[in-house]
């Protein structure tokens, strides 16, 4: 029995941030910054900048000197269609170095993080995603050439950022 229970317990601990107690934020999505970052306004009129955990979306350009990565704008538009102006629950387990809450976002009970991957509008963030579902959805999106997977050799955002920094 312990051979089955221990791996499951280890996975649960790892997915909970090694003992971190998740918090749930409830409110309306009032801004979509890119394909993996939104602002949620809670019922107390406090805004929370939320980074969708376990995924990484193509980069959005910032002016002529910093063009968008392919599918950056499409990814942002996809997230806006899924969440903008809608009531949402954000289950947050930690805060990143930029002060954003790292969360799984739900609209009408639907996991928006996974939906972005399913649509081919984000990658399962290999460095931070331990949920097998994210990787399975990505494999399916890639097999069906959805979204960014239409490109023959799409460049992951973490590689894109590293290349931009080195130039």
């Amino acid at each position: 029995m312990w051979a089955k229970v221990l791996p499951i317990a280890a996975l649960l601990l790892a997915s909970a941030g090694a003992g971190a107690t998740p918090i749930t934020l409830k409110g309306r999505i009032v801004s979509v910054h890119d394909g993996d970052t939104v602002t949620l306004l809670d019922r107390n009129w406090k805004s929370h900048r939320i980074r969708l955990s376990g995924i990484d979306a193509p980069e959005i350009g910032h002016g002529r000197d910093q063009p968008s990565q392919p599918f950056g704008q499409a990814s942002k538009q996809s997230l806006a269609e899924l969440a903008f102006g809608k009531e949402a629950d954000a289950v947050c387990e930690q805060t990143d170095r930029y002060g954003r809450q790292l969360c799984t976002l739900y609209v009408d009970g639907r996991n928006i993080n996974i939906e972005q991957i399913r649509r081919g509008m984000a990658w399962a963030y290999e460095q931070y995603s331990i949920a097998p579902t994210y990787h399975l959805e990505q494999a399916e999106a890639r097999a069906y050439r959805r979204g960014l997977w239409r490109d023959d050799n799409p460049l992951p955002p973490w590689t894109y950022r590293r290349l931009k920094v080195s130039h």
Side-chain angles (χ1 to χ4, degrees):
M1 178 179 116
W2 288 110
K4 290 180 181 177
V5 172
L6 289 177
I8 293 169
L11 181 61
L12 289 173
L13 278 175
S15 67
T21 303
I23 61 165
T24 300
L25 303 171
K26 294 178 177 285
R28 182 175 297 272
I29 302 302
V30 295
S31 182
V32 175
H33 304 279
D34 56 30
D36 57 27
T37 308
V38 298
T39 297
L40 179 141
L41 186 64
D42 71 19
R43 290 175 177 87
N44 295 318
W45 298 94
K46 182 178 178 193
S47 66
H48 304 269
R49 192 156 174 131
I50 293 172
R51 170 74 159 75
L52 278 60
S53 61
I55 72 170
D56 201 4
E59 292 292 314
I60 297 287
H62 300 285
R64 224 173 34 185
D65 296 334
Q66 296 179 338
S68 287
Q69 187 176 1
F71 290 92
Q73 290 296 332
S75 178
K76 178 180 179 180
Q77 181 61 38
S78 172
L79 185 53
E81 290 169 6
L82 291 166
F84 181 73
K86 298 178 181 175
E87 292 296 315
D89 294 333
V91 179
C92 310
E93 296 193 9
Q94 58 187 354
T95 303
D96 71 8
R97 63 182 173 178
Y98 304 108
R100 300 173 298 190
Q101 295 284 329
L102 297 174
C103 311
T104 303
L105 188 67
Y106 296 92
V107 174
D108 295 326
R110 185 175 178 189
N111 183 324
I112 301 304
N113 305 37
I114 289 176
E115 190 59 34
Q116 279 290 86
I117 294 170
R118 186 176 288 135
R119 290 177 169 204
M121 293 297 156
W123 274 261
Y125 202 165
E126 294 173 7
Q127 185 176 355
Y128 299 107
S129 176
I130 61 167
T133 305
Y134 285 37
H135 298 285
L136 292 171
E137 291 294 344
Q138 179 173 293
E140 183 176 305
R142 187 175 202 161
Y144 287 100
R145 298 183 59 89
R146 293 186 201 125
L148 61 89
W149 300 109
R150 287 183 212 137
D151 279 357
D152 289 331
N153 194 19
L155 186 65
W158 53 89
T159 303
Y160 180 80
R161 287 189 296 268
R162 197 170 46 241
L163 290 173
K164 280 179 50 176
V165 170
S166 65
H167 284 97

